Amino acid sequence: MDNDEFRHWSRRAADWGVDYRANLRDRPVRPQLNPGAIFRSVEEAPPETAEPMERIFADFEAKILPGMTHWQHPRFFAYFPANAAPVSVVAEYLVSAMAAQCMLWQTSPAATELETRVVDWMRQALGLPEGFSGVIQDSASSATLAAVLTMRERALDWQGNKKGLAGQAKLRVYSSDQVHTSIDRAIWVAGIGEENLVRIPVAGRYRAMDTAALEAAIVADREAGLLPAGIIACVGGTSTGGTDDIAAVAAVAKRHGLYLHVDAAWAGSAMICPEYRHFWTGIEGADSIVFNPHKWLGAQFDCSIQFIRSPDDLVRTLAIKPDYLKTRGHDGIINYSEWSVPLGRRFRALKLWFLLRAHGLEGLRAMIRNHVTWSEGLAARLGREADFEIVTTPMLSLFSFRHRGAENADPDEHNLRLVDAINSDGRIYLTQTRVEGRVAVRFQAGQFEATAADVDDAFDVIVEVARSL
Ligand SMILES: *Cc1c(COP(=O)(O)O)cnc(C)c1O
């Protein structure tokens, strides 16, 4: 591809992207197709000779686009949002064109220094005290792994990486059953073992860990010769928004000298609004906090911020410093690859910088407040319908509900069929969860381009499809 073609196709792609976003409302949110259809439509063998771009692009539109689920669709109410505000897409074009590896200060000083600055902007925006530094990881899963490795090394007096876990005291980590599966996986990968992730019972609407039970479990483990290493708390759990009492958990962590990691991957974005910060009162007592600007806030995936109290502990856990990476003569500079598991890293700060400047915190707060208000309104409306039941009331913009089917219908099957029927209808997209073992339909409003009318449409679709089953 020469520069003239590069220019031509870059413009085509940008125009295509704008048209795509502008017309999203007219598409079904989820594709309606059978498994294997896209796979079979792509040639079995790789091309031996060059093909014209015109044909490649045409195939993208004809074969690939029909198989996409439209995550930027304004009526996407499933999972959590993965918002990519248009301005963050523009920043990603630039990052993509420069294609720099930003693992060391010297491999792109601007990427490193802007990252330090915008992470501190976000610290201020979330109302976190000075003394937290941070790094942009690729995902909350990576941030949690980095935190678990740090708690492991701290508990083992920094001997785990060197000696391995064999022959060491058995490590113990504590959480509720409301945390994301990325916590389980971090525990597996860190070699701690699933049996040593101690699940603390929960209580109340927010399914918060019982901190007396937490403390009792820590004391009992110590007496049994096990090695408590850390606690993982959540603010805004994925299923129904489960939220621990962070102040109480932090007090336990402090009393027992344990590392506290808080997963606020989704709900963290809402903390730019002071009125929602009661959900994480006591957060200043955490050692590590993860929050994904790539979810609700609008920074295109991937962009996950990990705030940490002691970067030294993180770097002591993860830095390797082989000779060829040493940046001699630059004392005091940051090499962010020492703060994360992967070595190579993208320039992720640029899109966050563009986003924060183009919308301002006021603009982003208005968006989040709207989503919370609309979601509360929808829960109230559904709750007034005799054949609907609100299972979990809104935690920010997330709630769950159930529809009552015919007398003899199995309620779980009926609600699974409802989710399926709604998603096949295509006008909106939802997912299900289980609450105390029973199926519930999950709803969250959080799309960057959603309007009140889109949430009203959701009400109409849910009621219409439920009553037609
Ligand atoms: C989405 C989510 C995660 C996982 O985030 P990734 O960035 O995809 O790894 C973890 N925890 C919670 C609470 C989440 O909502």
Side-chain angles (χ1 to χ4, degrees), residues 80 139-141 180 182 236-238 263 265-266 292 294-295 301:
F80 280 137
S139 62
S141 305
H180 189 263
S182 56
T238 316
D263 179 1
W266 161 68
N292 283 351
H294 71 230
K295 275 186 167 154
F301 188 85

Short mmCIF file of all heavy atoms in Angstrom, two decimals, residues 80 139-141 180 182 236-238 263 265-266 292 294-295 301, ligand 1:
data_model
loop_
_atom_site.label_atom_id
_atom_site.label_comp_id
_atom_site.label_asym_id
_atom_site.label_seq_id
_atom_site.Cartn_x
_atom_site.Cartn_y
_atom_site.Cartn_z
N PHE A 80 -21.97 -5.02 30.58
CA PHE A 80 -21.72 -3.63 30.92
C PHE A 80 -21.33 -2.95 29.62
O PHE A 80 -20.92 -3.62 28.68
CB PHE A 80 -20.57 -3.52 31.94
CG PHE A 80 -20.99 -3.80 33.37
CD1 PHE A 80 -20.19 -4.58 34.19
CD2 PHE A 80 -22.17 -3.27 33.89
CE1 PHE A 80 -20.58 -4.84 35.50
CE2 PHE A 80 -22.55 -3.52 35.20
CZ PHE A 80 -21.75 -4.31 36.01
N SER A 139 -6.51 -4.44 30.93
CA SER A 139 -7.83 -4.89 31.38
C SER A 139 -7.85 -4.97 32.89
O SER A 139 -6.79 -5.04 33.53
CB SER A 139 -8.15 -6.27 30.79
OG SER A 139 -7.20 -7.20 31.26
N ALA A 140 -9.05 -5.02 33.43
CA ALA A 140 -9.18 -5.19 34.87
C ALA A 140 -8.61 -6.54 35.28
O ALA A 140 -8.06 -6.69 36.38
CB ALA A 140 -10.64 -5.08 35.28
N SER A 141 -8.74 -7.53 34.40
CA SER A 141 -8.20 -8.85 34.70
C SER A 141 -6.69 -8.77 34.95
O SER A 141 -6.17 -9.37 35.89
CB SER A 141 -8.47 -9.83 33.56
OG SER A 141 -9.85 -9.87 33.27
N HIS A 180 -15.98 -10.71 40.37
CA HIS A 180 -15.89 -11.13 38.97
C HIS A 180 -15.00 -12.37 38.83
O HIS A 180 -14.09 -12.57 39.64
CB HIS A 180 -15.29 -9.95 38.19
CG HIS A 180 -15.30 -10.10 36.71
ND1 HIS A 180 -14.22 -10.56 36.00
CD2 HIS A 180 -16.27 -9.84 35.81
CE1 HIS A 180 -14.52 -10.56 34.71
NE2 HIS A 180 -15.76 -10.12 34.57
N SER A 182 -12.63 -12.81 37.02
CA SER A 182 -11.21 -12.46 36.83
C SER A 182 -10.45 -12.63 38.15
O SER A 182 -9.23 -12.82 38.14
CB SER A 182 -11.06 -11.03 36.31
OG SER A 182 -11.71 -10.12 37.17
N GLY A 236 -19.77 -2.67 42.90
CA GLY A 236 -20.46 -2.83 41.62
C GLY A 236 -20.14 -4.15 40.96
O GLY A 236 -19.59 -4.18 39.86
N GLY A 237 -20.46 -5.25 41.61
CA GLY A 237 -20.22 -6.58 41.05
C GLY A 237 -21.00 -6.77 39.76
O GLY A 237 -22.03 -6.13 39.54
N THR A 238 -20.49 -7.68 38.91
CA THR A 238 -21.02 -7.82 37.56
C THR A 238 -22.45 -8.36 37.53
O THR A 238 -23.24 -7.97 36.68
CB THR A 238 -20.10 -8.75 36.76
OG1 THR A 238 -18.76 -8.38 37.05
CG2 THR A 238 -20.33 -8.63 35.29
N ASP A 263 -12.07 -4.04 43.36
CA ASP A 263 -12.47 -4.11 41.96
C ASP A 263 -13.72 -3.25 41.76
O ASP A 263 -14.81 -3.61 42.18
CB ASP A 263 -12.76 -5.57 41.59
CG ASP A 263 -13.20 -5.71 40.13
OD1 ASP A 263 -13.26 -4.70 39.41
OD2 ASP A 263 -13.48 -6.85 39.70
N ALA A 265 -14.38 -2.10 38.52
CA ALA A 265 -14.13 -2.00 37.07
C ALA A 265 -15.23 -1.22 36.37
O ALA A 265 -14.96 -0.34 35.56
CB ALA A 265 -14.00 -3.40 36.47
N TRP A 266 -16.47 -1.54 36.70
CA TRP A 266 -17.59 -0.83 36.06
C TRP A 266 -17.98 0.42 36.86
O TRP A 266 -18.03 1.53 36.32
CB TRP A 266 -18.78 -1.78 35.94
CG TRP A 266 -20.10 -1.10 35.74
CD1 TRP A 266 -20.48 -0.40 34.63
CD2 TRP A 266 -21.18 -1.01 36.67
NE1 TRP A 266 -21.76 0.10 34.81
CE2 TRP A 266 -22.20 -0.26 36.06
CE3 TRP A 266 -21.38 -1.51 37.96
CZ2 TRP A 266 -23.42 0.01 36.69
CZ3 TRP A 266 -22.59 -1.25 38.60
CH2 TRP A 266 -23.59 -0.49 37.95
N ASN A 292 -12.27 0.67 35.05
CA ASN A 292 -12.12 0.62 33.59
C ASN A 292 -12.73 1.85 32.91
O ASN A 292 -13.95 1.87 32.67
CB ASN A 292 -12.84 -0.61 33.01
CG ASN A 292 -12.07 -1.90 33.22
OD1 ASN A 292 -10.93 -1.88 33.65
ND2 ASN A 292 -12.70 -3.02 32.89
N HIS A 294 -12.64 2.14 30.02
CA HIS A 294 -13.16 1.57 28.76
C HIS A 294 -14.56 0.98 28.92
O HIS A 294 -15.11 0.47 27.95
CB HIS A 294 -12.18 0.56 28.14
CG HIS A 294 -12.03 -0.76 28.85
ND1 HIS A 294 -10.79 -1.28 29.17
CD2 HIS A 294 -12.92 -1.66 29.27
CE1 HIS A 294 -10.95 -2.45 29.77
NE2 HIS A 294 -12.24 -2.71 29.84
N LYS A 295 -15.11 1.04 30.10
CA LYS A 295 -16.49 0.57 30.22
C LYS A 295 -17.45 1.76 30.07
O LYS A 295 -17.81 2.14 29.00
CB LYS A 295 -16.69 -0.17 31.54
CG LYS A 295 -16.29 -1.63 31.40
CD LYS A 295 -16.59 -2.46 32.60
CE LYS A 295 -16.44 -3.95 32.25
NZ LYS A 295 -16.12 -4.76 33.43
N PHE A 301 -11.81 0.67 24.40
CA PHE A 301 -11.05 -0.48 24.88
C PHE A 301 -9.71 -0.50 24.15
O PHE A 301 -9.68 -0.30 22.94
CB PHE A 301 -11.84 -1.76 24.56
CG PHE A 301 -11.24 -2.99 25.18
CD1 PHE A 301 -11.54 -3.35 26.48
CD2 PHE A 301 -10.36 -3.78 24.44
CE1 PHE A 301 -10.98 -4.48 27.05
CE2 PHE A 301 -9.80 -4.91 25.02
CZ PHE A 301 -10.11 -5.26 26.31
C1 LIG B 1 -15.85 -6.12 33.41
C2 LIG B 1 -15.40 -6.42 34.76
C3 LIG B 1 -14.17 -7.05 34.97
C4 LIG B 1 -13.29 -7.53 33.85
O1 LIG B 1 -12.83 -6.47 33.10
P1 LIG B 1 -11.76 -6.68 31.91
O2 LIG B 1 -11.21 -5.31 31.72
O3 LIG B 1 -12.53 -7.18 30.76
O4 LIG B 1 -10.76 -7.66 32.39
C5 LIG B 1 -13.77 -7.27 36.27
N1 LIG B 1 -14.54 -6.90 37.31
C6 LIG B 1 -15.73 -6.30 37.15
C7 LIG B 1 -16.54 -5.90 38.34
C8 LIG B 1 -16.19 -6.04 35.87
O5 LIG B 1 -17.38 -5.45 35.70
#
